[in-house]
Amino acid sequence: MRNVAVCSYATSKFTKRSNLSIFDLACQPCIKVIRESNISKTEIDAVLFSSCSAEQYGSNIISEMLGISPKISHRIESLCNSGTNSIVSAYAYISSGLCDSVLVVGAEKANSPGSVLSWDVSRGSFTLPVFWAALFAKAHMRKYGTTEEQMASITVRNRSNAQKNPNALFKSTDNEVITLNDVMQSRRIADPIKLLDCSCACDGSSAVLLLSEDKAKEAEIESPVWMKGIGQQITGASFNQASSDLTTINASKIAARGAYAMSNTSPRHIDVAELHDSFTILQVLALEDLGFVREGMGGMFFDQDQGVVINPRGGILGCGHPVGTTGLAQLAEIAAQLSGKAGQRQVQGCKTALVHNLAAAGTSATVMILSS
Amino acid sequence: MRNVAVCSYATSKFTKRSNLSIFDLACQPCIKVIRESNISKTEIDAVLFSSCSAEQYGSNIISEMLGISPKISHRIESLCNSGTNSIVSAYAYISSGLCDSVLVVGAEKANSPGSVLSWDVSRGSFTLPVFWAALFAKAHMRKYGTTEEQMASITVRNRSNAQKNPNALFKSTDNEVITLNDVMQSRRIADPIKLLDCSCACDGSSAVLLLSEDKAKEAEIESPVWMKGIGQQITGASFNQASSDLTTINASKIAARGAYAMSNTSPRHIDVAELHDSFTILQVLALEDLGFVREGMGGMFFDQDQGVVINPRGGILGCGHPVGTTGLAQLAEIAAQLSGKAGQRQVQGCKTALVHNLAAAGTSATVMILSS
């Protein structure tokens, strides 16, 4: 297998509603990615478009708008897990030798059709994701004594991190931070989940350029970031397939095992991690499922204690959740961190990092491990 | 790069309208493919779903319905070229070593959103594909003297082939054949394209199981078919990007060059070919662009003269065009031919074969070369 490097990356400013079409939105970070790489448009072998948008032929439309004529071009959709599916696909194209350079772009509008899960009959009338988040949260509270305050503190931390991220949806102009009290007093949506335990759908786009090792050398990429481990797992599509134990997400555990094995690492090697925190309870579960803390301890985790920094860009809670974009924005952050270009958010001395991306009640998960 | 084999394949009966959901439709050939392989459901590493359907998370829904929990699962969309994009993606997953077995399934309903190209402003009000087919046909007639009768004879031949294909939309119960006169007298849609020069959108599904060489040996696959050459090219998304010369499709030429080079073959090695004949003129162009005949001679081509059999299953004209399914149905036919299991349609002694799949006025093309 050929080594694969992340060589250039960019994320747009996430907003509640932009005036841009999904294609204009998609082009924004691509233009930056191409400009900042030493790769010319004619050298791009594939364009993969991650989105839940109902538009057809989107990947070709974006390619045409960018003036690229790649060999391979298509859209990839797997709900919130679309972004990392696209990245792994790009990895496969390069690693197999079919491509030397792949541009992966995620774009989504806030009104993405990915937000309601009407096909999942196991949910009855409860089609919104918040209902299963409530079940996960209740189960964890019951079994381990996790508190609403512990979950609320995750929003406080991730929103606070987002203040250092100019592209985050919840970067406030005056750096006003959310307090524990704000989260606790926010509207109760589905007990015990409150409004500020939830992420927010938004407009946003992100792009990364992946290159083969030879191509990265040829292009004299300064600080490439290497894809070292990949683990993916689906357990189904319906909530009743996610897990029989509602205090854990099996797909995450299996995906993590695969990624650690492939990269010959373990949780203690990870310096910085992007965890899928579309609800606060999901960060609690991810901390446990990925092995950063023991079972049941996710609610008590604080970065400074553990030698790993979680969601420095602000996570999904702080950045917003443009569904098909999220996995790419996570990777863009990790690439920035590992190449020492994360600015105000830089985690000093980080060498190994992790991306964790979920979809649909944890019925699918991707874990990727990268190193500088 | 690891070798990749097509080991099992199935296609549903194509119909104008079935009572099945797209997911039930998708499961039909998958069940057959899994049953006929020596691979258990737990050994399937990835499920890739090719479709233009607006349904979300379809690949996971299909996996759940089939009782499969793969590592990788997503939907791939690139209009009529979705099917072969999915196959090439599966090839990359296996060749890279990320997967040993990939189930690729295409499914489409006749009312697929892939049939109108409303985003292509270069078409003005002419959003239906038949308008560009008419331009291609007129240009070829003008430059090379190709006649309407020559094009009509392609429908006659492909519909006649379809009489040996029980799954073809236009397999008539009494084997009634279409005559040249029928085509010539059919309703004129956009001069010189008549109704019977056009393929017909329909419900249909098809699936193939791809395995690594080791896995194929382990499963004692009797007559695996090998993927030897892959070429893909996009030239854009809009009709005005397809080609400046309307008598040729550049994407086909470039894709063919890539596939011949990778497989170290040339047109004279090809014993049987599935060409993208969604309009009769496209088969004329494909014959030239892929090098089976000289430029301008596509209208005068007859199988028996050339040592290559074209569209034995009936092509898209005879089988119908369930958009995201087509590339898979083409591969399923080629795999059947090369493994000597094409029944009444068997091309005797065929060893090397080709699949050619297009989308959107030839703005993207895939060419794959396979051998027994």
Side-chain angles (χ1 to χ4, degrees):
Chain A
M1 278 166 65
R2 309 199 310 161
N3 289 325
V4 177
V6 184
C7 291
S8 183
Y9 44 85
T11 298
S12 70
K13 167 85 183 133
F14 290 3
T15 58
K16 283 221 169 146
R17 192 184 309 264
S18 70
N19 290 321
L20 299 176
S21 78
I22 191 157
F23 302 123
D24 287 318
L25 206 55
C27 286
Q28 278 190 340
C30 293
I31 291 166
K32 191 155 179 273
V33 158
I34 295 166
R35 198 177 50 217
E36 292 185 358
S37 71
N38 292 331
I39 297 292
S40 77
K41 288 180 184 180
T42 57
E43 292 173 285
I44 296 174
D45 293 325
V47 174
L48 302 181
F49 176 38
S50 167
S51 182
C52 299
S53 151
E55 301 279 353
Q56 303 290 318
Y57 218 38
S59 186
N60 283 45
I61 295 170
I62 293 164
S63 298
E64 181 176 312
M65 288 169 75
L66 291 169
I68 305 174
S69 299
K71 295 191 289 185
I72 295 165
S73 163
H74 57 249
R75 181 164 67 92
I76 289 177
E77 181 270 315
S78 186
L79 282 178
C80 311
N81 202 17
S82 302
T84 52
N85 263 280
S86 306
I87 294 159
V88 175
S89 190
Y91 174 93
Y93 279 115
I94 294 172
S95 181
S96 70
L98 281 184
C99 294
D100 276 313
S101 79
V102 181
L103 177 66
V104 191
V105 53
E108 207 78 71
K109 299 286 290 176
N111 61 357
S112 157
S115 304
V116 177
L117 306 164
S118 50
W119 45 264
D120 181 356
V121 292
S122 79
R123 295 170 201 242
S125 314
F126 303 104
T127 53
L128 293 172
V130 68
F131 294 115
W132 53 254
L135 293 174
F136 279 129
K138 274 284 185 199
H140 210 270
M141 290 167 76
R142 214 179 294 127
K143 185 164 177 186
Y144 297 115
T146 300
T147 65
E148 292 190 40
E149 287 77 5
Q150 286 171 345
M151 291 187 276
S153 77
I154 289 172
T155 301
V156 173
R157 275 176 281 158
N158 291 1
R159 287 268 198 123
S160 166
N161 287 348
Q163 298 318 308
K164 295 182 182 164
N165 181 354
N167 296 323
L169 176 63
F170 292 112
K171 162 79 175 96
S172 63
T173 44
D174 52 1
N175 283 325
E176 197 190 355
V177 290
I178 289 280
T179 67
L180 197 69
N181 197 45
D182 291 334
V183 185
M184 292 302 290
Q185 296 304 317
S186 64
R187 187 160 57 89
R188 219 157 261 268
I189 309 282
D191 189 58
I193 305 287
K194 296 165 287 297
L195 183 65
L196 294 181
D197 285 302
C198 307
S199 61
C200 181
C202 66
D203 279 25
S205 56
S206 186
V208 296
L209 181 69
L210 304 189
L211 299 181
S212 65
E213 186 167 6
D214 288 349
K215 195 80 181 173
K217 275 187 192 147
E218 187 188 312
E220 298 177 351
I221 301 294
E222 211 179 297
S223 41
V225 167
W226 301 97
M227 292 190 62
K228 291 288 194 180
I230 293 169
Q232 294 190 284
Q233 184 61 40
I234 83 153
T235 54
S238 311
F239 181 56
N240 65 9
Q241 300 292 320
S243 188
S244 49
D245 174 356
L246 290 177
T247 64
T248 184
I249 290 178
N250 275 337
S252 289
K253 280 186 174 170
I254 299 168
R257 210 182 297 146
Y260 289 133
M262 183 171 160
S263 58
N264 199 21
T265 59
S266 70
R268 67 187 167 77
H269 294 103
I270 307 300
D271 302 313
V272 50
E274 281 289 320
L275 303 185
H276 192 99
D277 60 330
S278 52
F279 296 100
T280 50
I281 182 64
L282 292 187
Q283 182 162 325
V284 173
L285 299 185
L287 286 163
E288 300 174 16
D289 293 334
L290 274 60
F292 292 114
V293 294
R294 286 206 317 278
E295 272 180 20
M297 304 294 283
M300 279 173 273
F301 177 92
F302 288 95
D303 295 12
Q304 49 271 43
D305 307 336
Q306 312 285 340
V308 53
V309 176
I310 304 295
N311 290 335
R313 73 179 177 119
I316 301 172
L317 287 164
C319 289
H321 194 11
V323 183
T325 302
T326 287
L328 284 150
Q330 290 178 311
L331 179 64
E333 174 68 13
I334 289 303
Q337 290 288 350
L338 290 175
S339 54
K341 293 176 184 165
Q344 268 198 289
R345 306 188 301 281
Q346 184 64 49
V347 176
Q348 293 307 320
C350 63
K351 296 212 169 343
T352 306
L354 181 149
V355 171
H356 167 248
N357 191 196
L358 289 177
T363 49
S364 66
T366 305
V367 174
M368 300 190 299
I369 292 169
L370 296 106
S371 72
S372 53
Chain B
M1 277 167 62
R2 309 196 314 160
N3 289 324
V4 178
V6 183
C7 292
S8 183
Y9 45 84
T11 298
S12 70
K13 167 87 183 130
F14 290 3
T15 59
K16 283 221 170 144
R17 191 183 308 264
S18 71
N19 291 320
L20 299 176
S21 77
I22 191 158
F23 302 123
D24 287 317
L25 205 58
C27 286
Q28 279 190 340
C30 293
I31 290 167
K32 191 154 178 273
V33 159
I34 295 167
R35 198 176 51 217
E36 292 184 358
S37 71
N38 292 331
I39 296 292
S40 77
K41 288 180 185 179
T42 56
E43 292 173 283
I44 296 174
D45 294 324
V47 174
L48 302 182
F49 176 38
S50 167
S51 182
C52 299
S53 151
E55 300 279 354
Q56 303 291 317
Y57 218 39
S59 186
N60 283 44
I61 295 171
I62 294 163
S63 298
E64 182 176 310
M65 288 169 74
L66 292 169
I68 305 174
S69 299
K71 295 191 288 185
I72 295 164
S73 163
H74 56 249
R75 181 163 69 91
I76 288 176
E77 180 271 315
S78 186
L79 283 178
C80 311
N81 202 17
S82 303
T84 51
N85 263 281
S86 306
I87 295 159
V88 176
S89 189
Y91 175 93
Y93 278 117
I94 294 172
S95 182
S96 70
L98 281 184
C99 293
D100 276 313
S101 80
V102 180
L103 177 66
V104 191
V105 52
E108 207 78 69
K109 300 287 288 177
N111 61 359
S112 158
S115 304
V116 178
L117 306 164
S118 49
W119 45 263
D120 181 356
V121 292
S122 78
R123 293 169 202 245
S125 313
F126 303 104
T127 53
L128 292 172
V130 69
F131 294 115
W132 54 254
L135 293 174
F136 280 129
K138 274 284 184 200
H140 210 271
M141 291 167 75
R142 212 179 294 126
K143 184 164 177 185
Y144 298 114
T146 300
T147 65
E148 291 190 42
E149 287 78 4
Q150 286 171 344
M151 291 188 276
S153 78
I154 290 172
T155 300
V156 173
R157 276 176 279 158
N158 291 0
R159 287 267 199 126
S160 166
N161 288 349
Q163 298 317 309
K164 295 181 182 166
N165 181 355
N167 296 323
L169 176 63
F170 292 112
K171 163 79 176 95
S172 64
T173 45
D174 52 2
N175 284 327
E176 197 190 353
V177 290
I178 289 279
T179 65
L180 198 69
N181 197 45
D182 291 335
V183 185
M184 292 302 290
Q185 296 303 318
S186 65
R187 186 160 59 89
R188 221 157 260 268
I189 309 282
D191 189 60
I193 304 288
K194 296 164 287 297
L195 183 64
L196 294 181
D197 284 302
C198 307
S199 60
C200 181
C202 65
D203 279 25
S205 56
S206 186
V208 296
L209 181 69
L210 303 189
L211 298 181
S212 66
E213 186 165 9
D214 288 348
K215 195 79 180 173
K217 276 188 189 149
E218 187 189 312
E220 298 176 352
I221 302 293
E222 212 179 296
S223 41
V225 166
W226 301 97
M227 292 190 62
K228 292 288 194 180
I230 293 169
Q232 296 190 282
Q233 185 61 39
I234 82 154
T235 53
S238 310
F239 181 56
N240 65 8
Q241 299 292 320
S243 190
S244 47
D245 174 355
L246 289 177
T247 64
T248 184
I249 290 179
N250 275 338
S252 289
K253 281 186 172 168
I254 300 169
R257 210 181 298 147
Y260 289 133
M262 183 170 160
S263 59
N264 199 20
T265 60
S266 69
R268 65 186 169 78
H269 294 102
I270 307 299
D271 302 312
V272 51
E274 282 289 322
L275 303 186
H276 193 99
D277 60 329
S278 52
F279 296 100
T280 50
I281 181 63
L282 292 187
Q283 181 161 324
V284 173
L285 299 185
L287 286 163
E288 300 174 16
D289 293 334
L290 275 61
F292 293 114
V293 294
R294 286 206 316 279
E295 272 181 20
M297 304 293 282
M300 280 173 271
F301 176 93
F302 289 95
D303 294 12
Q304 49 270 41
D305 308 334
Q306 313 284 341
V308 53
V309 176
I310 303 295
N311 290 333
R313 73 179 178 119
I316 301 172
L317 287 164
C319 288
H321 193 12
V323 183
T325 301
T326 286
L328 285 150
Q330 291 178 310
L331 179 64
E333 174 68 12
I334 289 302
Q337 291 288 350
L338 290 176
S339 54
K341 294 176 182 164
Q344 268 196 290
R345 306 189 301 281
Q346 185 64 49
V347 176
Q348 293 308 319
C350 62
K351 297 214 170 338
T352 305
L354 179 149
V355 171
H356 167 248
N357 191 195
L358 289 178
T363 49
S364 67
T366 304
V367 174
M368 301 189 298
I369 292 169
L370 297 105
S371 72
S372 52

